[in-house]
Amino acid sequence: EPFQHLAVGKYTVTALKALHGSEDPYIYAISDGCKTLLYAHDSDIFPVETWEYIQSQKLRFDFVSMDCTEGAMEDIPYQGHMCLGYNRRCKEKLVTMGAADEHTIFVSNHFSHNGKDACYDDYAPQAEKAGLLTSYDGMEIEF
């Protein structure tokens, strides 16, 4: 259920509402009690209820992994995924509301061959300008 906590081993997982083309889509906040990850894949920019929950619960993320199906586009003409422009806007909103800061690691992930400049060498320099890392197969980040 959305906004409910589930213990999974040493982690607490909270399902947050997402915007996607499926019934009841979710993104996830995952915490070990010290650090918190926002896993935001297969979602557009989050719905109002998710932003309100993040703010009301004073969630703070150490790591944010975001969908970037449409690569370096600024906007996309459908609901359900993100692009660089949306990743940038999500990052700015999370920082503005205090859910992230200059120490939070932001990563663009979940690319599609349909996206603009979705190849690593084309996308990564643009993402870096926005303060985002670009994922790649085998990438590991300790936070």
Side-chain angles (χ1 to χ4, degrees):
E1 294 296 315
F3 313 113
Q4 300 297 311
H5 307 295
L6 177 65
V8 179
K10 68 177 187 174
Y11 300 101
T12 300
V13 178
T14 305
L16 306 173
K17 288 187 175 188
L19 289 174
H20 194 63
S22 57
E23 188 176 329
D24 297 325
Y26 300 109
I27 58 175
Y28 300 95
I30 304 168
S31 179
D32 67 358
C34 295
K35 303 269 180 141
T36 303
L37 160 75
L38 177 60
Y39 187 81
H41 292 259
D42 277 342
S43 180
D44 203 313
I45 295 178
F46 321 141
V48 171
E49 302 97 324
T50 293
W51 290 115
E52 289 174 347
Y53 182 84
I54 290 169
Q55 190 160 40
S56 72
Q57 298 301 304
K58 296 180 174 42
L59 296 182
R60 200 213 149 292
F61 301 108
D62 301 284
F63 190 103
V64 177
S65 183
M66 292 181 282
D67 180 281
C68 199
T69 297
E70 294 297 336
M73 296 175 72
E74 280 302 310
D75 290 294
I76 52 179
Y78 68 91
Q79 182 177 328
H81 290 284
M82 287 198 252
C83 57
L84 178 58
Y86 291 9
N87 281 189
R88 187 182 308 107
R89 283 177 238 163
C90 279
K91 177 184 176 186
E92 289 169 2
K93 186 164 185 169
L94 288 166
V95 169
T96 298
M97 66 193 311
D101 61 25
E102 69 277 2
H103 301 292
T104 302
I105 299 167
F106 287 88
V107 178
S108 289
N109 202 333
H110 194 255
F111 302 101
S112 163
H113 63 280
N114 296 318
K116 177 181 181 266
D117 294 338
C119 292
Y120 184 88
D121 290 342
D122 298 327
Y123 181 82
Q126 296 176 68
E128 185 177 3
K129 289 178 188 172
L132 303 163
L133 297 175
T134 302
S135 68
Y136 54 86
D137 290 346
M139 181 184 214
E140 293 183 20
I141 297 177
E142 189 171 323
F143 68 100

